[in-house]
Amino acid sequence: MILKIYSNNDHLADLLHKNPQTDEGLYAKPLKSGIVIGNVVSAHRYEVLFQDMSNGFTEETGNQLDFQSLCNPLAVLNSCTELFGHVLKEKNEYEAQEMKWLNGLTRGQADTQPCTIQVPVFYINSSWYRNGVFLLERYFKGIDVKRMVGNNYYLTITASTLFEAMNLLNLTALFTHLTNVDAFNTFIDDSFAQKYLRVLTNLEQVPYFVLYLFIKRAVKNNAQFTLVKPVLEAYLAQYGIAANLTSEDTQRSRLGFITSEIGIDHAVLDIGCGEFAYYKQLTNKGFAHSYYAVDRDENLRRLGENIMNRMNTDNLSFYTRIDEVLPKERINIIMSEVIEHNAPEVSAALVKRALLFDFGKLVISTPNAAFNKFYFENGFRHEDHHFEFTGEEFRLFIEACTENRADIQVTYMQVGDELNGICPTQLAIIKKKIQDEKQR
């Protein structure tokens, strides 16, 4: 594994804490079962070479050629920790540190020139690289990824200072390591999470979605979340975003809310059931009534049968058309992330059709378009969406669908991370009124 660090800053070697007069600029340290070597090539260029000798970054112990030590993002993280740990300290601490050999010049005073770090062979094997673009390139202009051969890429980090470049490199390597499908197992303890929380907040103007990804990928338990939550909320507050962050990702927060709202006391109709996430969640809570699942994809029928066999249940019925569903009992209805996948008029007809069932509660969820600005500059959240409603548009849509229905009442909710009062998912909970319940 090779790192190349470039800067026109005459104090580059000083900032890296590597004296070009010592051992002709060479610096070597043991790392795992190999060695990492730093070399002062010139006043404006520093290089790092790491070679591990016994499969330190792969679980394929039978592989005689340990190519992962040449390109693994974890090797980047470990090498930076060994050689440049002082550049990964908290920003104010780093900038205030004096370099006594430079008459007390601080690192902050000296680190004022742009810096580029190149990793000629960087291993990425995840869905984060898609259609020629690495996900983090969308959120950091200083990241450039070029495909070389297979899963090997040329990574270039560009920033206004060495400090920013080194922290951005480590953040990129961290996310890549955690998302690679064949990543070498890393135990993320509290100190690991706090270290890279510091790396993350050392950078300025980090978009919310990157913070979201950090919580979902690098925070492994509620205790760690309790540690990082106030730090990240304070970070967002610096940029005018009042945040209430949650430990669950958007999908799980929606899944948890809807299953709790639907409950296990009545039969369920799941319109747009997908891969039966709600059926599995409700069954794990003790649900034993009839479950009517509807989806246009006929291939899901076999999946449903396999799930019933695995969970030892027999109460799931699958349909490809809603008109085929003829429940004999009162039901609760789920329409989770369904309406946006059709034209508005088609979705309106689907909601009106659902309202014709003998139901106690109908829960409809859909993305909140007002939250999209925290994800990206423009566009829908997913390519197959026909529309995405703002809160007001969603209310008007539901009101049009429930017009002249005096027997129901509607409550609107939001779930997920809350930023300036907006959450990623909005829901309408449509209930039959109490009077209707009493008549039964």
Side-chain angles (χ1 to χ4, degrees):
M1 190 275 297
I2 299 174
L3 295 179
K4 299 179 180 181
I5 304 172
Y6 303 90
S7 177
N8 289 328
N9 194 329
D10 292 334
H11 295 300
L12 176 62
D14 299 295
L15 292 168
L16 292 173
H17 215 167
K18 303 297 181 283
N19 189 343
Q21 305 304 319
T22 302
D23 296 328
E24 298 183 352
L26 288 172
Y27 184 82
K29 290 189 70 174
L31 178 58
K32 284 189 172 287
S33 55
I35 188 169
V36 59
I37 300 174
N39 180 34
V40 179
V41 179
S42 70
H44 301 120
R45 179 177 174 182
Y46 191 84
E47 293 187 351
V48 175
L49 172 66
F50 170 69
Q51 178 64 57
D52 194 45
M53 302 305 295
S54 61
N55 304 97
F57 294 97
T58 178
E59 295 177 345
E60 298 179 22
T61 56
N63 188 349
Q64 297 302 310
L65 178 62
D66 182 18
F67 81 97
Q68 284 287 5
S69 70
L70 306 177
C71 57
N72 195 290
L74 186 57
V76 174
L77 295 176
N78 289 357
S79 297
C80 288
T81 296
E82 287 295 329
L83 298 183
F84 313 120
H86 64 286
V87 189
L88 303 176
K89 298 294 185 182
E90 191 272 329
K91 184 176 183 180
N92 290 335
E93 179 183 349
Y94 167 82
E95 291 182 339
Q97 188 177 17
E98 292 185 358
M99 294 182 287
K100 295 181 180 180
W101 61 94
L102 294 179
N103 298 318
L105 187 71
T106 66
R107 295 188 185 279
Q109 292 170 332
D111 192 3
T112 58
Q113 296 292 318
C115 178
T116 297
I117 304 177
Q118 297 175 345
V119 186
V121 186
F122 187 71
Y123 185 76
I124 303 175
N125 184 14
S126 76
S127 61
W128 282 31
Y129 186 88
R130 184 182 301 170
N131 299 325
V133 179
F134 183 54
L135 176 63
L136 292 182
E137 289 182 278
R138 297 183 62 182
Y139 299 98
F140 295 100
K141 294 181 179 179
I143 298 176
D144 181 73
V145 172
K146 301 296 184 188
R147 191 169 206 154
M148 305 295 286
V149 177
N151 293 319
N152 294 324
Y153 297 78
Y154 199 111
L155 171 65
T156 302
I157 301 292
T158 306
S160 59
T161 64
L162 166 70
F163 178 80
E164 182 184 346
M166 190 63 69
N167 280 271
L168 184 55
L169 169 66
N170 276 260
L171 185 67
T172 304
L174 172 70
F175 276 129
T176 305
H177 168 62
L178 294 178
T179 55
N180 277 348
V181 296
D182 50 356
F184 186 74
N185 289 330
T186 300
F187 176 67
I188 300 179
D189 58 13
D190 291 354
S191 62
F192 184 99
Q194 288 180 311
K195 173 183 177 180
Y196 289 102
L197 172 66
R198 182 176 67 247
V199 168
L200 177 63
T201 54
N202 276 340
L203 300 169
E204 296 182 357
Q205 298 285 351
V206 176
Y208 152 77
F209 189 59
V210 176
L211 308 187
Y212 169 88
L213 292 173
F214 179 82
I215 292 174
K216 311 319 170 194
R217 296 290 184 173
V219 177
K220 295 303 181 182
N221 55 55
N222 288 332
Q224 288 181 8
F225 176 71
T226 301
L227 292 174
V228 306
K229 174 180 166 71
V231 177
L232 295 181
E233 289 178 350
Y235 180 89
L236 289 169
Q238 297 178 82
Y239 302 105
I241 300 176
N244 181 19
L245 303 177
T246 63
S247 59
E248 296 182 322
D249 62 29
T250 302
Q251 180 181 8
R252 291 201 65 81
S253 64
R254 180 173 62 245
L255 182 64
F257 179 88
I258 292 178
T259 52
S260 177
E261 190 68 31
I262 288 293
I264 62 174
D265 296 331
H266 299 280
V268 170
L269 168 60
D270 188 351
I271 301 174
C273 63
E275 296 184 349
F276 307 98
Y278 289 98
Y279 176 73
K280 290 184 284 188
Q281 187 86 347
L282 286 167
T283 299
N284 287 333
K285 292 178 176 293
F287 178 83
H289 298 280
S290 296
Y291 196 97
Y292 306 95
V294 181
D295 200 286
R296 289 178 292 196
D297 186 356
E298 172 65 33
N299 294 325
L300 291 170
R301 185 185 302 277
R302 182 64 180 271
L303 176 61
E305 293 172 355
N306 291 338
I307 290 173
M308 279 197 294
N309 290 333
R310 188 170 66 247
M311 302 188 76
N312 194 28
T313 57
D314 61 358
N315 58 340
L316 173 64
S317 302
F318 178 80
Y319 306 88
T320 56
R321 294 176 61 250
I322 192 172
D323 290 335
E324 296 174 347
V325 181
L326 300 172
K328 299 178 181 179
E329 67 273 76
R330 170 164 280 203
I331 57 175
N332 286 333
I333 306 174
I334 300 171
M335 292 183 65
S336 178
E337 309 301 287
V338 171
I339 61 173
E340 65 273 10
H341 291 274
N342 305 281
E345 61 274 14
V346 174
S347 289
L350 185 61
V351 172
K352 292 177 181 178
R353 174 65 184 88
L355 290 170
L356 296 178
F357 284 100
D358 179 14
F359 73 97
K361 185 181 297 185
L362 164 59
V363 180
I364 303 172
S365 76
T366 191
N368 188 341
F371 196 87
N372 288 354
K373 62 185 178 183
F374 299 114
Y375 286 134
F376 37 70
E377 292 183 359
N378 51 58
F380 290 159
R381 212 169 292 181
H382 294 287
E383 295 179 355
D384 60 349
H385 288 184
H386 289 246
F387 63 87
E388 289 179 1
F389 286 142
T390 64
E392 179 61 24
E393 290 169 340
F394 184 48
R395 285 174 180 267
L396 291 173
F397 172 83
I398 296 297
E399 288 173 1
C401 292
T402 58
E403 188 178 13
N404 300 322
R405 289 295 300 264
D407 59 326
I408 61 174
Q409 58 186 14
V410 183
T411 303
Y412 296 95
M413 300 289 292
Q414 297 187 95
V415 295
D417 290 345
E418 183 179 342
L419 304 182
N420 291 341
I422 307 169
C423 297
T425 301
Q426 55 187 339
L427 305 100
I429 304 168
I430 304 174
K431 298 180 183 179
K432 285 290 184 71
K433 289 184 177 179
I434 297 176
Q435 296 93 314
D436 183 52
E437 294 288 343
K438 290 181 178 180
Q439 289 173 3
R440 297 187 62 83

